[in-house]
Amino acid sequence: MGSQGGFYQSKEFLDLVKSIGEARSKAEEDRIVLNEIETLKRRISEPDIPKRKMKEYIIRLVYIEMLGHDASFGYIHAVKMTHDDSLLVKRTGYLAVTLFLNEDHDLIILIVNTIQKDLKSDNYLVVCAALNAVCKLINEETIPAVLPQVMELLAHPKEAVRKKAIMALHRFYQKSPSSVSHLVSNFRKRLCDNDPGVMGATLCPLFELIARDVNSYKDLVISFVSILKQVAERRLSKAYDYHQMPAPFIQIKLLKILALLGSGDKQASENMYTVVGDIFRKCDSSSNIGNAVLYECICCVSSIYPNPKLLESAADVISRFLKSDSHNLKYMGIDALGRLIKISPEIAEQHQLAVIDCLEDPDDTLKRKTFELLYKMTKSTNVEVIVDRMIDYMISINDNHYKTEIASRCVELAEQFAPSNQWFIQTMNRVFEHAGDLVNIKVAHNLMRLIAEGFGEDDDNADTKLRSSAVESYLRILGEPKLPSVFLQVICWVLGEYGTADGMFSASDITGKLCDVAEAYSNDETVKAYATTALMKIYAFEIAAWRKVDMLPECQSLMEELLASHSTDLQQRAYELQAVIGLDAHAVACIMPSDASCEDIEVDRDLSFLNDYIQEAIEKGAQPYIPESERSGMLNISNFRNQDHHEASSHGLRFEAYELPKPAVQSRIPQTLIASTEIVPVPEPMYPRESYQTTMPSIPSDAGSAELKLRLEGVQKKWGRSTYTPATSTSNSTSQKTVNGTSQGDGASTVSSMRETYDSRKPQVEVSHEKQKLAASLFGGSSKTEKRPATGHKAAKASSHVVEKSHVPKSSMEVASEKAAPAQQPPDLLDLGEPTATSTALQLDPFKQLEGLLDATEVASAVNGAPAASRSPDIMALYADTAAGIHNKNDADLLSGLSNPSVTNMPGTTAMPQVTQSSSKGPNPKDSLEKDALVRQMGVNPSSQNPNLFKDLLG
């Protein structure tokens, strides 16, 4: 090579190749390559590198990439080399980028313009280099950018350019058929090119087109036959010969095309017979390439319409292949024989000894190919020998994949060509024993189905013998120490279905074996499940036959174990077994008929057997079922449902919101009250909220009065002036609430006659304890239902600003927890959320404060639990203009009832001191003090109000 190195490379590069070749380990090789990478990174970034040096650096980068290391730091330099004017540098750059980059690389965009320019070059070598890059780097998006130039090159004067243009179009067709579908006719034109190289390149895209649509190219059969005849007669120049064979690769491609065009077409095939026969006679079989052409001729003969002479010629060639000492030729002969036996099965009989020799050959590849041939040759007369040899080979190999394939083939052949039931069962046993769990589960299911359906069409006797033989062999096999899980499943199923069918074995024998299987394979839940179901079948068949069932002790212990199993499947099967044993013979015969595994199950989708039950329930008052499609008008919640989520979870759990309850009917408020207070009633939706029970006074009302009562449940509570809060008697002021800075009592302020009317309409249904627990779990507790007093007046229910969430009674535990709950602090004045109903116990006794003549401000502060600044504004001013409107006793009674109600201890609440009014006439000092405290609580100056009103209030 000299100091300059061979092929114009430096000695440094040759030393690199030599050192890598002499490396003794992968670690040493990696160390050498990494050192070279560091060297190239340093040198390639130097300025003003000579072209010759840069070309060598790029070639060294290619060598590094070939060894599996990253050379991406030099990609951009290879792209730059494609822009060079020097032909040698440009071709080196194109070679490097085709090896470095893929069609989706980011640097492709930098090469497209260069390719377009080079495709128009006057130097055909530059054009060829650009076409090579087009085949490798142009993707579907960039095809339109270069397609016009490639189409122009189909008429280039240089045959090398035309050939590469055809190859580029073929690549475009592979990447995007739609982009060049209108250019397919160009392949037909190029088939008649004067240059054999261009014509040979055209055969590759035509082969793919014909494979997709044979009928569109039937007219080319004559052309292909003519070309093949000219090639076979050596009319091409000797430049296309290979090992003295005239253009063998063109011949092989033409034979493949003719095989497609002549398949099933007698007329087209007749045009091919002569040329194919000539190739059989003239082809030289002394070289590998000649044998390759002969093998392709055999494939063509096996595909086109059969011809006896051609089949005979093919059989002679196969015979030479099989008798050869070369394993490659034997392999070709076995494969070719497998193709011909589909047309002429008697051909295989002529080569029996040769096939047997291939079975004995140590070459594993040849042996496997021979078994494929035997699989195709199998029939009822040779199935025993072939299957036995296949099972023996399966036992000898360790390749699990191929062992699975052979097992499936053995089962398939045994099912199709079994000479006897006995042999079939024995063959299946051998396959399952030696293939183990590698046998596909479908094979096991097919075996079970085959035993259930039987072989004979109408011969029940043969089917019975088959099942009896299977039961007998399986009972014998169960004595072996280790069996595959799939095989055990088959055994358990067969023993359960047919173990006692012929009467040869008793139920106790079969159940004992099944219990032993479940105990021996206790870690395999599938086997235990099959064994449990088999036990249930045997006991069911015994009960249905009116025979006494004596469960063995081991069966009882197994069932007890399964009843407590962590597996829900095993547990369910055990409960089913327990239930079946307790049924009578008629019921068992109906639910588990004997030998009915293959019967079709008729599914009653309409559940018509429940019609009588449903009719009876409707007659007793049950609501009829409303189909889901007819419920849209009843439950219109489409505004609250996300359509995409609904479609995604249509078959799963539903998490959309419940329908909002319908708001209560707005109560009519007297016009005088609206005029005097200037507050517009705003109906508040009745959202469910928790409410806690407190001591409630009952509002006295006159049964015969038709006057409207004051209703304030619709008045706004958050903004503007505070709502009206009727004052309760000091004896009943057991708890108070502070909502957004406004002190309110838990008394009659939240009670409305509309609520009473609604509650009176509700049916008094006794709520079960389970529903109480469910309500407590879902909603965090519920208020206790109230018992209505026996008097004619309705007892008002305690509630907050919102409706009670549930009317389910509270348990004593919840009531006790409410009693023990500490008094809550007043909520923040800036809290704009929904008010939460609370029940706080009073810390100071109001009667003792009144008796001690405490300051009224302190009393109000202690009762309200809030500073004076946060108390409600002047509430009595609301009635300043309406006092004149009170003309009768009922209005006075209403106000009197608000200030002096009777106190009733409600269930579930803490009993507070009650006020017992004196029966003597005249003013009562204690009552005067109470009413005075009431006035002070309300922050009202008695002298500023209507004297008649306060005369009624204070008696």
Side-chain angles (χ1 to χ4, degrees):
M1 294 291 183
S3 60
Q4 296 298 323
F7 307 105
Y8 303 102
Q9 303 302 327
S10 66
K11 185 175 182 301
E12 185 179 0
F13 176 63
L14 297 178
D15 291 340
L16 170 66
V17 176
K18 182 180 178 180
S19 61
I20 291 176
E22 295 175 352
R24 297 183 179 181
S25 64
K26 187 67 169 65
E28 184 180 355
E29 177 186 308
D30 291 343
R31 179 179 55 80
I32 296 172
V33 174
L34 291 176
N35 291 336
E36 179 68 14
I37 290 175
E38 295 299 324
T39 302
L40 290 176
K41 281 183 179 179
R42 184 176 64 255
R43 292 185 180 181
I44 208 169
S45 60
E46 296 175 356
D48 301 331
I49 302 176
K51 293 181 179 180
R52 182 171 175 272
K53 282 287 186 184
M54 180 59 72
K55 182 171 70 72
E56 180 182 325
Y57 292 158
I58 294 300
I59 293 175
R60 289 159 76 170
L61 286 175
V62 171
Y63 191 50
I64 289 172
E65 283 267 334
M66 290 169 61
L67 293 173
H69 293 265
D70 181 32
S72 57
F73 62 92
Y75 289 176
I76 187 63
H77 298 282
V79 172
K80 291 179 181 178
M81 287 183 67
T82 61
H83 304 161
D84 200 279
D85 295 333
S86 172
L87 176 61
L88 189 59
V89 175
K90 182 183 287 289
R91 294 181 68 179
T92 304
Y94 273 127
L95 173 65
V97 295
T98 54
L99 296 175
F100 287 158
L101 308 181
N102 57 65
E103 61 184 23
D104 297 322
H105 199 278
D106 296 337
L107 296 177
I108 294 297
I109 194 65
L110 303 178
I111 304 176
V112 174
N113 289 335
T114 304
I115 291 176
Q116 288 177 324
K117 183 185 71 173
D118 291 340
L119 288 177
K120 299 178 181 179
S121 175
D122 295 334
N123 189 338
Y124 80 95
L125 295 176
V126 174
V127 176
C128 289
L131 287 172
N132 288 337
V134 164
C135 295
K136 285 283 188 178
L137 302 179
I138 296 300
N139 53 29
E140 186 175 355
E141 288 76 17
T142 53
I143 285 177
V146 297
L147 184 59
Q149 289 91 333
V150 173
M151 290 301 302
E152 293 176 0
L153 293 176
L154 290 176
H156 198 277
K158 283 291 184 179
E159 60 276 1
V161 175
R162 297 199 303 271
K163 179 179 177 180
K164 291 185 181 294
I166 289 291
M167 296 169 63
L169 279 180
H170 183 200
R171 187 63 173 166
F172 293 164
Y173 177 77
Q174 290 177 336
K175 290 182 178 293
S176 177
S178 60
S179 62
V180 294
S181 59
H182 60 290
L183 305 174
V184 172
S185 60
N186 289 275
F187 295 131
R188 287 172 172 262
K189 297 177 182 178
R190 291 300 101 194
L191 188 63
C192 302
D193 196 277
N194 293 328
D195 184 74
V198 178
M199 181 270 300
T202 309
L203 295 177
C204 295
L206 284 175
F207 175 74
E208 291 191 12
L209 291 169
I210 293 171
R212 294 191 179 186
D213 186 9
V214 176
N215 296 326
S216 299
Y217 297 89
K218 290 283 187 179
D219 58 319
L220 293 179
V221 172
I222 303 298
S223 300
F224 288 129
V225 169
S226 176
I227 294 171
L228 181 58
K229 184 177 181 180
Q230 295 180 43
V231 173
E233 292 177 354
R234 297 179 180 270
R235 295 187 182 182
L236 301 183
S237 65
K238 289 189 176 182
Y240 294 96
D241 288 359
Y242 179 78
H243 287 270
Q244 299 181 357
M245 279 293 297
F249 300 106
I250 293 179
Q251 290 190 54
I252 290 174
K253 185 62 69 175
L254 284 170
L255 287 170
K256 288 179 178 290
I257 292 175
L258 292 177
L260 292 175
L261 294 173
S263 178
D265 190 341
K266 184 177 180 180
Q267 182 178 0
S269 299
E270 289 176 350
N271 295 324
M272 308 173 191
Y273 291 158
T274 303
V275 66
V276 175
D278 291 343
I279 294 176
F280 271 126
R281 289 190 301 270
K282 296 179 181 180
C283 192
D284 182 14
S285 61
S286 60
S287 62
N288 286 334
I289 191 64
N291 291 324
V293 174
L294 288 174
Y295 170 78
E296 200 61 48
C297 285
I298 296 173
C299 295
C300 180
V301 169
S302 64
S303 297
I304 64 177
Y305 194 83
N307 179 269
K309 292 183 179 181
L310 291 181
L311 290 176
E312 185 178 353
S313 300
D316 293 339
V317 174
I318 291 174
S319 178
R320 294 202 301 267
F321 285 167
L322 294 175
K323 293 176 182 179
S324 172
D325 295 332
S326 171
H327 288 89
N328 293 332
L329 293 180
K330 286 184 178 180
Y331 186 93
M332 290 170 58
I334 293 294
D335 184 78
L337 186 59
R339 294 175 182 270
L340 283 187
I341 61 174
K342 298 178 181 178
I343 304 173
S344 179
E346 63 274 5
I347 294 178
E349 298 178 0
Q350 306 172 10
H351 308 287
Q352 292 181 9
L353 296 179
V355 173
I356 296 301
D357 291 340
C358 293
L359 278 179
E360 304 295 338
D361 197 283
D363 189 340
D364 196 61
T365 305
L366 180 59
K367 191 179 295 185
R368 293 187 181 187
K369 197 66 179 178
T370 306
F371 276 117
E372 292 182 12
L373 173 63
L374 293 178
Y375 172 72
K376 299 175 182 178
M377 294 171 53
T378 304
K379 50 188 177 181
S380 58
T381 56
N382 60 5
V383 63
E384 297 182 45
V385 177
I386 292 176
V387 170
D388 288 344
R389 296 298 294 267
M390 293 175 71
I391 293 177
D392 292 338
Y393 178 68
M394 180 186 67
I395 297 172
S396 64
I397 63 176
N398 296 321
D399 186 352
N400 290 338
H401 175 75
Y402 194 61
K403 185 179 287 189
T404 303
E405 183 179 352
I406 291 183
S408 300
R409 289 180 175 179
C410 290
V411 172
E412 182 180 348
L413 294 177
E415 291 177 356
Q416 292 180 3
F417 306 106
S420 64
N421 298 338
Q422 187 74 20
W423 179 87
F424 174 77
I425 297 299
Q426 291 177 356
T427 302
M428 291 295 98
N429 294 347
R430 288 185 64 193
V431 171
F432 279 108
E433 283 183 47
H434 298 292
D437 293 328
L438 297 175
V439 180
N440 195 328
I441 190 64
K442 293 182 179 179
V443 174
H445 292 165
N446 290 338
L447 176 59
M448 291 185 240
R449 177 177 50 81
L450 189 63
I451 294 175
E453 294 177 352
F455 286 111
E457 297 179 357
D458 298 323
D459 191 357
D460 295 337
N461 201 21
D463 297 341
T464 303
K465 290 181 179 179
L466 169 66
R467 295 159 187 166
S468 300
S469 176
V471 171
E472 184 178 356
S473 61
Y474 290 157
L475 288 175
R476 184 176 62 254
I477 291 173
L478 284 178
E480 297 184 7
K482 183 66 177 176
L483 294 172
S485 176
V486 178
F487 193 26
L488 286 170
Q489 296 173 26
V490 176
I491 292 175
C492 291
W493 186 86
V494 172
L495 293 180
E497 285 285 342
Y498 308 107
T500 59
D502 57 357
M504 294 178 58
F505 303 97
S506 63
S508 58
D509 296 337
I510 303 297
T511 54
K513 289 287 187 179
L514 291 172
C515 292
D516 294 340
V517 169
E519 182 179 357
Y521 300 90
S522 57
N523 294 329
D524 194 335
E525 291 188 357
T526 306
V527 173
K528 292 175 71 174
Y530 270 83
T532 306
T533 303
L535 287 173
M536 180 167 56
K537 291 178 182 178
I538 292 173
Y539 286 130
F541 298 157
E542 292 294 302
I543 295 173
W546 299 91
R547 288 191 287 266
K548 183 179 180 182
V549 175
D550 294 327
M551 184 174 287
L552 299 177
E554 52 265 32
C555 294
Q556 294 179 353
S557 60
L558 173 64
M559 192 166 68
E560 292 174 358
E561 175 190 348
L562 297 181
L563 287 173
S565 174
H566 293 290
S567 172
T568 55
D569 179 51
L570 294 178
Q571 199 177 80
Q572 179 181 351
R573 292 173 189 258
Y575 277 111
E576 291 175 355
L577 171 59
Q578 194 177 46
V580 167
I581 294 176
L583 297 176
D584 57 23
H586 178 70
V588 171
C590 291
I591 63 175
M592 297 197 71
S594 177
D595 192 18
S597 58
C598 295
E599 294 183 3
D600 296 332
I601 300 177
E602 297 180 1
V603 180
D604 186 4
R605 298 184 180 275
D606 296 331
L607 305 180
S608 58
F609 59 90
L610 292 176
N611 289 342
D612 295 338
Y613 173 80
I614 294 173
Q615 186 64 30
E616 182 181 354
I618 292 177
E619 291 176 357
K620 293 181 179 180
Q623 293 294 328
Y625 174 76
I626 301 176
E628 189 173 1
S629 58
E630 301 178 7
R631 303 177 198 172
S632 57
M634 301 175 60
L635 299 175
N636 186 13
I637 57 173
S638 58
N639 295 333
F640 303 96
R641 183 177 298 173
N642 186 314
Q643 185 65 23
D644 294 336
H645 174 71
H646 173 68
E647 293 176 358
S649 61
S650 59
H651 298 290
L653 296 177
R654 297 183 178 180
F655 297 98
E656 60 264 15
Y658 288 104
E659 181 188 14
L660 296 177
K662 297 180 180 179
V665 181
Q666 299 183 16
S667 59
R668 297 174 57 188
I669 302 177
Q671 295 296 329
T672 54
L673 179 60
I674 297 177
S676 61
T677 59
E678 297 182 358
I679 296 178
V680 179
V682 179
E684 182 179 358
M686 301 169 63
Y687 297 103
R689 293 281 182 174
E690 290 188 19
S691 59
Y692 296 92
Q693 192 76 342
T694 56
T695 303
M696 282 292 299
S698 61
I699 301 177
S701 60
D702 192 351
S705 176
E707 291 290 329
L708 293 174
K709 297 180 176 58
L710 195 61
R711 300 171 184 172
L712 300 174
E713 73 277 5
V715 180
Q716 186 177 5
K717 299 179 177 61
K718 290 184 178 180
W719 306 102
R721 300 178 64 182
S722 299
T723 58
Y724 169 66
T725 306
T728 59
S729 127
T730 55
S731 63
N732 192 41
S733 299
T734 59
S735 63
Q736 296 227 344
K737 296 181 282 204
T738 305
V739 181
N740 289 348
T742 304
S743 176
Q744 298 178 354
D746 280 339
S749 61
T750 60
V751 181
S752 65
S753 62
M754 183 201 69
R755 172 59 54 81
E756 294 175 16
T757 305
Y758 172 78
D759 290 338
S760 65
R761 292 197 306 265
K762 292 170 59 178
Q764 300 300 316
V765 180
E766 193 68 27
V767 183
S768 64
H769 183 63
E770 289 77 5
K771 289 187 178 181
Q772 297 179 28
K773 288 185 177 181
L774 179 60
S777 301
L778 293 176
F779 307 107
S782 57
S783 61
K784 190 174 180 99
T785 55
E786 301 167 354
K787 295 181 180 179
R788 299 182 182 274
T791 62
H793 305 292
K794 298 178 180 179
K797 296 184 179 181
S799 63
S800 62
H801 294 226
V802 294
V803 183
E804 295 174 354
K805 187 169 186 179
S806 173
H807 296 284
V808 180
K810 288 185 178 180
S811 61
S812 58
M813 185 69 71
E814 294 170 342
V815 176
S817 63
E818 287 187 8
K819 292 180 180 179
Q824 298 182 1
Q825 295 295 330
D828 190 359
L829 294 177
L830 296 178
D831 183 12
L832 302 180
E834 287 288 344
T836 303
T838 58
S839 178
T840 58
L842 205 59
Q843 296 179 353
L844 298 178
D845 190 350
F847 297 113
K848 293 184 179 179
Q849 294 182 23
L850 290 173
E851 290 174 359
L853 298 179
L854 295 176
D855 184 60
T857 304
E858 296 177 4
V859 175
S861 177
V863 173
N864 296 335
S870 65
R871 289 175 298 183
S872 60
D874 189 0
I875 297 176
M876 295 306 298
L878 297 174
Y879 291 88
D881 299 332
T882 62
I886 303 175
H887 300 295
N888 53 32
K889 185 177 180 297
N890 291 331
D891 291 338
D893 289 344
L894 173 61
L895 294 177
S896 176
L898 290 173
S899 62
N900 194 15
S902 60
V903 180
T904 305
N905 285 335
M906 308 301 292
T909 58
T910 306
M912 300 301 295
Q914 298 186 13
V915 180
T916 56
Q917 298 185 8
S918 174
S919 58
S920 60
K921 297 181 179 180
N924 190 330
K926 185 173 289 189
D927 291 344
S928 301
L929 290 175
E930 291 173 2
K931 294 174 181 178
D932 183 58
L934 174 62
V935 173
R936 291 177 181 275
Q937 290 180 28
M938 299 173 66
V940 178
N941 187 357
S943 62
S944 64
Q945 304 299 326
N946 191 316
N948 294 330
L949 175 63
F950 275 89
K951 182 178 180 180
D952 293 333
L953 280 174
L954 301 178

